[in-house]
Amino acid sequence: MKGVVLAGGLGSRLLPLTKVTNKHLLPVYDKPMIYYPIQTLVNAGITEVMLVTGGNSAGDFLKLLGNGRDFGLKHLSYTYQQGEGGIADALRLAEHFADEGPICVVLGDNLIQGNIAKAAEAFRAQKKGAKILLKEVKDPQRFGVPYLEGNRVLSIEEKPAHPKSSYAVTGIYFYDARVFEITRTLKPSGRGELEITDVNNAYIASGELTWNVLDGWWTDAGTIESLLAANQLVAQTGANRMEF
């Protein structure tokens, strides 16, 4: 299984912090934000990673991360997303890198207290389809929200005004090679973007999506408030812990 970190976007919700840099290069406690999702993949036993980025600061990732050896990676590849096409559009750029194998996708502003090693092993055993990781949150309307019935996800709704559960779909996804076929069928949403929620709903429709609840805390860092929370959480407990 290979890893993909999606680190594009303009970071407009973090202005003026992102006026001269990509948000994923901002510090979270004692490391640049982008270190955390890469470490999430490494802790899951993944040694080949592609970073998808864009904007004027793309070259800074190469200066910061180099060939990925500091993380113990065999290969760190880079690709560039033109414009603001959404998460699923960015994911399409990793098709040749995936080489028809399974992938784990992590959004570049997602941080976790623990690790996804068990979920990664479960997906390797699953062999096909998709797996998402859920976390109970106070403000699910900010995220993709699953409609659950027992062990089944019936649907996922993006940023609903009236959420059907208190869970958020975290920005950590496991997919088989069919994900790229699915992305080619997507139509832009009202935001003009290709939505990752539509990808997940396609797997739900074919009965091939499983889920786990993520242990420990999880946060994104895409707003001023959540960036502050991420700094505080990492300072208090650390992040990407193999045992906690």
Side-chain angles (χ1 to χ4, degrees):
M1 183 158 51
K2 296 181 180 181
V4 179
V5 179
L6 303 182
L10 297 177
S12 55
R13 292 179 299 169
L14 283 169
L15 285 169
L17 300 180
T18 48
K19 198 166 185 178
V20 294
T21 192
N22 182 293
K23 76 173 178 182
H24 306 92
L25 297 170
L26 294 173
V28 176
Y29 190 50
D30 60 346
K31 298 182 183 72
M33 190 188 299
I34 193 64
Y35 276 40
Y36 297 93
I38 294 175
Q39 193 63 51
T40 294
L41 293 169
V42 170
N43 287 354
I46 292 169
T47 59
E48 295 182 67
V49 172
M50 171 169 273
L51 181 76
V52 182
T53 188
N56 295 328
S57 303
D60 292 342
F61 285 97
L62 185 60
K63 285 190 280 186
L64 176 66
L65 301 171
N67 59 16
R69 295 289 163 78
D70 289 346
F71 292 91
L73 293 172
K74 288 182 183 175
H75 301 288
L76 177 57
S77 304
Y78 300 84
T79 191
Y80 188 87
Q81 181 186 19
Q82 297 278 1
E84 286 273 288
I87 294 170
D89 177 64
L91 178 56
R92 293 197 295 187
L93 298 172
E95 181 170 4
H96 293 295
F97 169 75
D99 196 24
E100 301 185 1
I103 56 171
C104 179
V105 182
V106 183
L107 303 190
D109 64 354
N110 272 230
L111 292 83
I112 59 174
Q113 181 180 4
N115 63 81
I116 59 168
K118 286 183 181 177
E121 279 307 307
F123 185 68
R124 289 182 179 105
Q126 183 178 320
K127 295 191 184 306
K128 68 173 188 173
K131 180 180 284 292
I132 58 174
L133 297 178
L134 307 181
K135 190 67 186 173
E136 199 159 13
V137 296
K138 296 177 182 176
D139 51 353
Q141 63 276 7
R142 281 185 57 214
F143 307 101
V145 177
Y147 180 25
L148 301 172
E149 184 181 83
N151 289 328
R152 294 175 58 221
V153 181
L154 299 183
S155 64
I156 299 170
E157 193 176 0
E158 186 65 27
K159 297 181 176 62
H162 305 287
K164 291 178 177 167
S165 74
S166 58
Y167 287 95
V169 178
T170 70
I172 304 171
Y173 318 95
F174 297 91
Y175 296 120
D176 65 9
R178 196 167 73 88
V179 68
F180 301 107
E181 176 187 324
I182 292 170
T183 60
R184 285 192 284 273
T185 70
L186 299 181
K187 301 288 190 293
S189 67
R191 300 192 298 171
E193 297 184 357
L194 301 184
E195 303 286 354
I196 201 71
T197 291
D198 292 337
V199 172
N200 293 332
N201 278 325
Y203 277 106
I204 291 170
S206 62
E208 293 183 315
L209 183 133
T210 63
W211 59 278
N212 292 107
V213 174
L214 189 65
D215 292 328
W217 57 254
W218 161 80
T219 186
D220 68 352
T223 66
I224 294 294
E225 294 77 16
S226 61
L227 179 61
L228 174 60
N231 274 274
Q232 293 170 330
L233 287 166
V234 175
Q236 289 162 8
T237 70
N240 296 119
R241 294 166 60 178
M242 291 306 290
E243 295 180 10
F244 67 100

